[in-house]
Amino acid sequence: MIQVLVIGAGPAGLAAARAARRLGASVTLLDSSDQLGGQFWRHLPAARPAARERILHHGWDTFQSLSATLESDGGCRIIRSANVFALETAAAGPGTVHVIVGAPDGVGRKRLSFSPDAIVLATGAHDRTLPFPGWDLPGVFTGGAAQALAKGERLAVGRRVVVSGAGPFLLPVAASLVAVGSRVLGVYEANRLPALVRGWLPRPWQLLGAWKKGAELGGYARGHLAHRIPYKLGRAVVAAHGTDRVESVTVAEITADWTPIPGTERRIAVDAVCISHGFTPRLELAVAAGCALTLERFVRVDDRQHSSAPGVYAAGEITGIGGVDLALAEGTIAGHAAAGGTIGDRALRTTVRGRRTFQGFAARIEAAHGIRAGWPEMLTSDTIVCRCEEVTYGHLCETAESTGSRSLRAIKLSTRAGLGICQGRICGRSVEELLACRAGGGLVDGVNTDRRPISGTIRLGELAAAVTPADSYRLTSTSESSKGTL
Amino acid sequence: MTNDVIIVGAGIIGAACARSLAAAGCDVTVVDRGTTAGGTSSACEGNLLVSDKGPGYELVLAQYASTLWKAAAVDLTEQLGPQFPSVEYEAKGGLVVATTEAGARVLLDFAASQRSAGVDACVLDADAAHELEPDLTPGITAAVHYPEDAQVQPTIATEALMASARRYGARLLENTPVTGAILDSAGALVGVKTPAGDLRASRVLIAAGPWSGDVAALLGVHLPVRPRRGELLVTSRMPHRIFHKVYDADYVGAVGSDDSALQTSSVIESTAGGTVLIGSSRQQVGFDARLRVDALSEIAAKALRLFPFLAGAAVIRSYGGFRPFMPDHLPVIGEDPRMPGLWHAAGHEGAGIGLSLATAELLTALMLKRPTHLDASPFSAARASLAPHLKAASYAI
């Protein structure tokens, strides 16, 4: 029987696990969280069920059906709180996946390792937030964090909030804030109408198949109208102010390439700010597995969602930021192929068609809402870029200039940017972009910040401990998590 | 003969040689297929050690180097100014401990032999050792303190030496691989070919670390430098609880061994950034950079034998590199008798950061036919200990 290991239990991973099980593969599904659903379907724990999940979550019924199917399936082993800390390649097959299982702050976590026939990577993405003066003040949240608190804890990050950044994600962030009682004073989309039109308008018939997506966004737009939330284009929060926490923000008009326009600044009193400039795919496992990336730095896959690494499939946001429907389609195809199915199989026909439709959607998001080159103009020399190691923009520039280095690796090691606890997950791409335009002739060492051989934090004592044989492993954690697991 | 030199390799050895030669008035061009400090020099700990070296030529070189680093740290700061990142020179001292009776005997004998060679190697009782390192395991059987051990931040040190070399007039060509030799009619090396065009000089110096053997082969001679893989773990920042370079006595054995199988030994220290570096492994697997979790696991287990409190420390990163291993455990410094015009400064295994400045001084004196500070013949490519490892020159141009 083919053994398929699925990493990530968001929409893509859940769909992959179900598709692989339909073909009879033995499936192990890992997720770092203690619940299924990923960032997209983050919800209250089962111990605190809420009737309103359907309102807060797009596609909640899909999630319910996927998770119920897998949890009741003895052939699908689900391991929650499973952090993959390393992926070792092998001479044959996709390699060995090393996992530490248990709550991040828990004691007695167990080490497991898996050497499956196929791996489906569905590791998703995390928020991209560009630095700006004051972004390190308490009260400044990523859109994803604010939404997670709203969806997972029913907590509002503030009473008077502005949402700023770029991309369709600003809308659901604002909607989830409203749902937990915040007053959203404004949503500021950095890109201007021409960019949005260029991204969204061409060949509108391609979008017909994505009507569900349209309905999703339309739903948010109706919500915005109902709550009278201003949605402004070509504007951005360019600074946050406050002593112990954010008290106000400066919103300014910005040009098409995102350079702030002097004289257009306006102060707004707030107690929280949510920023989202899109998403960064979580590529460390794909990189560790040896998967080739595209020029845009997503996992390169063929029509079976197979990467360039033997036996390694990829689905969801790591192949391109495309949203839940694309993730579900890709996951289904990846799981099907990983379990030995072929793309021409009848059962996949609709899914393959759906994937094509939603891929067009992903390209449109990038064209309409992508980050533009002028953003460093927002920074001042004392703006912290790497928050873990408190490295300022000025220090980065100074080091690049004084050493004359054109090596990302060398400048990182000289400044400590990206070397802290988050390992560049927050600042990595920003550091790369800032240095690429500072270093004379750009960075030339071919290094990027997506490579993290230790893909998740592990304690030294845990690393030193022996591996628990995976077959003898029993989940000891509480609540619903024992159901459907070994 | 003109005073021009092409240096192949922009790691710490190439940078130190470029600085020393340029300061002495040579016309220096450094070429590297990548960037400054792009290889081993940014994948190591920055050790300036005497403690791991037994009496012999390498120790003499290391003792000379340690005097040079003290001065260079000051000179570099002065020359490069306050904007330039600090090389983080710190004479923190080393503490070598044994945890078994057999290990204790070996360590104490080793330290006695080092003392006879002028190394400050002070035997401590357990109380004194714990005074230096309060969190060290109580189960130690011997401890030796080496106040001369020091460290630098190796990437910054390499960048600083290269920046200094450039201020003395050296040129740097990055992303420029050497593709072949240019020989004159008499068979002397007079330059190198690169995709950017031919570079000519009366001398070509190979300082390409573990890749020196490959470069030598391109130029037509055999040099038995082999890569020896090493891995390190890095923890998240924590309050300073480790104050010296602390290592297990079996590290010394691992450094001197020829074994190609996986070996690990504990080398633990805090960095200026607040992280703890935990090493290290030695393995001869060619240039295979694949992660080996068994190696990391073994490194972790051995570190806990020295500092049990680290069990709860969060490992956030690992990095590895390739040491330039020489079969007779000595670097090659000087002209190659097999090919006029070809010079070497390579094969420093795990000691390149420390030995770089001494290597550069020695090499500069040899090139300029000045008296050397110490006997250079033990490092010659013509030395007897290397002869069995040299294949006949191929001159395959």
Side-chain angles (χ1 to χ4, degrees):
Chain A
M1 190 189 287
I2 296 178
Q3 309 261 350
V4 177
L5 180 71
V6 180
I7 303 176
L14 290 170
R18 182 172 64 181
R21 281 295 301 141
R22 278 180 178 162
L23 287 202
S26 159
V27 172
T28 302
L29 174 61
L30 307 178
D31 197 273
S32 59
S33 164
D34 58 1
Q35 52 174 231
L36 302 181
Q39 293 298 326
F40 189 79
W41 284 320
R42 190 187 278 262
H43 53 279
L44 283 178
R48 295 160 56 198
R52 295 175 64 225
E53 299 288 6
R54 289 195 73 233
I55 301 161
L56 274 172
H57 292 94
H58 172 69
W60 184 247
D61 294 342
T62 307
F63 169 63
Q64 295 258 286
S65 142
L66 275 168
S67 57
T69 304
L70 295 171
E71 285 181 324
S72 62
D73 178 351
C76 179
R77 174 162 42 158
I78 300 172
I79 305 179
R80 295 169 177 81
S81 302
N83 290 280
V84 177
F85 69 89
L87 193 158
E88 243 178 332
T89 54
T96 301
V97 173
H98 295 267
V99 184
I100 187 88
V101 182
D105 53 355
V107 290
R109 300 201 298 176
K110 296 261 185 317
R111 252 185 84 187
L112 300 183
S113 73
F114 300 91
S115 301
D117 301 310
I119 296 174
V120 178
L121 296 174
T123 46
H126 50 74
D127 297 54
R128 173 91 193 266
T129 303
L130 298 175
F132 59 89
W135 76 306
D136 49 331
L137 278 172
V140 181
F141 294 84
T142 66
Q147 202 193 34
L149 286 169
K151 281 182 177 180
E153 303 290 337
R154 299 293 186 268
L155 285 176
V157 295
R159 282 191 307 250
R160 294 169 54 85
V161 189
V162 295
V163 178
S164 172
F169 186 52
L170 301 180
L171 301 176
V173 168
S176 60
L177 285 168
V178 169
V180 290
S182 297
R183 191 170 153 222
V184 178
L185 304 173
V187 176
Y188 303 102
E189 160 67 49
N191 287 304
R192 293 174 164 257
L193 200 53
L196 301 189
V197 169
R198 266 199 311 279
W200 288 108
L201 212 59
R203 293 183 287 281
W205 57 89
Q206 287 182 349
L207 279 178
L208 284 178
W211 61 272
K212 267 204 307 193
K213 200 77 194 171
E216 179 193 352
L217 293 178
Y220 294 129
R222 275 197 304 283
H224 276 244
L225 288 175
H227 292 97
R228 294 202 184 80
I229 302 171
Y231 180 75
K232 306 272 189 181
L233 301 177
R235 285 190 183 77
V237 167
V238 295
H241 317 277
T243 40
D244 299 324
R245 59 171 291 120
V246 63
E247 289 157 12
S248 66
V249 292
T250 300
V251 174
E253 285 186 40
I254 60 175
T255 64
D257 86 337
W258 292 20
T259 306
I261 301 170
T264 63
E265 299 89 352
R266 196 162 66 87
R267 279 260 194 154
I268 302 175
V270 297
D271 57 8
V273 193
C274 299
I275 307 289
S276 167
H277 293 101
F279 295 90
T280 309
R282 298 174 63 160
L283 294 175
E284 47 272 85
L285 292 180
V287 171
C291 301
L293 305 183
T294 62
L295 277 179
E296 298 79 26
R297 300 253 296 274
F298 293 102
V299 181
R300 183 191 302 277
V301 288
D302 63 15
D303 61 353
R304 302 174 304 141
Q305 299 296 133
H306 190 264
S307 74
S308 65
V312 180
Y313 298 78
E317 307 298 66
I318 56 171
T319 69
I321 303 302
V324 64
D325 297 302
L326 182 58
L328 287 166
E330 291 185 352
T332 302
I333 295 165
H336 184 85
T342 61
I343 187 87
D345 291 345
R346 252 186 108 75
L348 273 192
R349 204 171 288 166
T350 328
T351 310
V352 170
R353 214 169 27 237
R355 178 177 61 177
R356 202 173 315 125
T357 304
F358 294 117
Q359 271 165 347
F361 195 82
R364 283 162 193 266
I365 292 178
E366 180 54 31
H369 300 283
I371 290 170
R372 306 292 192 256
W375 70 266
E377 297 298 323
M378 282 191 295
L379 307 188
T380 57
S381 77
D382 60 357
T383 304
I384 284 178
V385 176
C386 166
R387 295 166 67 155
C388 299
E389 295 290 321
E390 298 179 346
V391 181
T392 62
Y393 180 48
H395 184 56
L396 274 181
C397 297
E398 226 166 59
T399 304
E401 214 153 285
S402 66
T403 60
S405 176
R406 294 191 293 157
S407 153
L408 176 62
R409 180 152 85 123
I411 299 175
K412 274 175 61 187
L413 289 166
S414 298
T415 59
R416 301 199 54 75
L419 297 188
I421 188 83
C422 92
Q423 286 293 289
R425 286 176 174 87
I426 307 290
C427 71
R429 297 273 173 116
S430 298
V431 168
E432 283 180 39
E433 287 165 22
L434 290 172
L435 290 176
C437 60
R438 296 301 298 195
L443 298 169
V444 296
D445 65 351
V447 167
N448 68 50
T449 54
D450 295 324
R451 195 178 160 273
R452 296 180 192 96
I454 298 288
S455 52
T457 300
I458 180 169
R459 293 187 197 105
L460 198 70
E462 295 165 344
L463 182 57
V467 175
T468 309
D471 292 335
S472 71
Y473 179 70
R474 296 283 187 283
L475 270 186
T476 52
S477 65
T478 52
S479 75
E480 89 276 35
S481 57
S482 55
K483 193 183 167 197
T485 60
L486 230 187
Chain B
M1 189 153 81
T2 52
N3 262 338
D4 49 353
V5 186
I6 292 165
I7 298 177
V8 184
I12 193 130
I13 303 291
C17 290
R19 173 175 181 257
S20 170
L21 287 165
C26 295
D27 180 356
V28 177
T29 303
V30 182
V31 293
D32 195 292
R33 63 170 179 182
T35 51
T36 304
T40 308
S41 304
S42 60
C44 61
E45 297 154 294
N47 281 334
L48 316 177
L49 300 186
V50 293
S51 55
D52 63 340
K53 297 169 184 73
Y57 303 121
E58 198 195 7
L59 176 61
V60 174
L61 197 61
Q63 287 169 315
Y64 177 37
S66 97
T67 63
L68 295 172
W69 268 110
K70 239 170 261 173
V74 177
D75 293 348
L76 287 168
T77 308
E78 207 163 280
Q79 187 191 15
L80 301 174
Q83 306 287 300
F84 204 96
S86 163
V87 300
E88 297 174 12
Y89 172 80
E90 195 188 348
K92 55 162 55 167
L95 184 68
V96 183
V97 299
T99 51
T100 61
E101 286 308 325
R105 271 193 306 279
V106 173
L107 173 60
L108 295 175
D109 288 350
F110 187 67
S113 72
Q114 289 175 307
R115 274 194 301 279
S116 69
V119 174
D120 190 352
C122 178
V123 177
L124 303 181
D125 62 23
D127 286 350
H130 286 106
E131 212 157 285
L132 292 183
E133 290 294 343
D135 285 309
L136 189 63
T137 177
I140 57 169
T141 53
V144 180
H145 181 217
Y146 294 87
E148 294 161 298
D149 281 357
Q151 74 171 32
V152 289
Q153 206 277 20
T155 305
I156 299 175
T158 307
E159 292 279 11
L161 291 170
M162 188 64 82
S164 172
R166 294 171 81 176
R167 294 198 187 191
Y168 287 123
R171 277 179 308 277
L172 170 65
L173 300 175
E174 295 181 314
N175 278 21
T176 308
V178 167
T179 54
I182 304 172
L183 302 177
D184 68 9
S185 54
L189 185 62
V190 292
V192 294
K193 295 173 183 163
T194 80
D198 290 354
L199 297 171
R200 287 176 180 274
S202 54
R203 304 181 194 89
V204 176
L205 170 68
I206 300 178
W211 296 276
S212 296
D214 297 348
V215 176
L218 270 175
L219 300 182
V221 303
H222 175 250
L223 189 70
V225 182
R226 289 205 301 270
R228 200 179 196 193
R229 176 99 186 136
E231 301 272 355
L232 286 165
L233 299 169
V234 187
T235 71
S236 60
R237 279 169 155 189
M238 62 175 81
H240 240 68
R241 287 175 71 175
I242 298 170
F243 305 96
H244 302 77
K245 290 176 173 291
V246 181
Y247 50 96
D248 202 313
D250 64 6
Y251 175 73
V252 177
V255 170
S257 105
D258 295 330
D259 202 338
S260 60
L262 173 66
Q263 293 173 289
T264 59
S265 45
S266 290
V267 187
I268 305 167
E269 66 185 297
S270 303
T271 66
T275 59
V276 177
L277 296 187
I278 300 168
S280 64
S281 61
R282 280 168 199 270
Q283 208 178 356
Q284 292 196 10
V285 287
F287 284 110
D288 184 353
R290 279 183 302 182
L291 184 77
R292 292 252 330 242
V293 172
D294 60 344
L296 301 184
S297 185
E298 207 174 292
I299 290 169
K302 289 196 176 173
L304 295 180
R305 293 208 306 230
L306 295 191
F307 286 105
F309 88 90
L310 287 174
V315 176
I316 59 171
R317 201 155 67 87
S318 74
Y319 63 94
F322 299 99
R323 305 175 185 89
F325 171 84
M326 289 296 287
D328 64 349
H329 302 286
L330 279 178
V332 185
I333 304 166
E335 190 166 19
D336 194 316
R338 299 166 295 175
M339 183 183 273
L342 175 62
W343 291 69
H344 300 291
H348 296 75
E349 179 133 32
I353 303 296
L355 299 181
S356 59
L357 295 181
T359 300
E361 287 305 310
L362 199 56
L363 185 107
T364 302
L366 289 170
M367 273 197 184
L368 301 182
K369 301 197 172 12
R370 293 175 182 170
T372 56
H373 186 270
L374 48 92
D375 180 11
S377 62
F379 308 107
S380 161
R383 65 188 181 238
S385 58
L386 200 57
H389 305 286
L390 291 179
K391 290 182 197 147
S394 60
Y395 296 103
I397 306 298

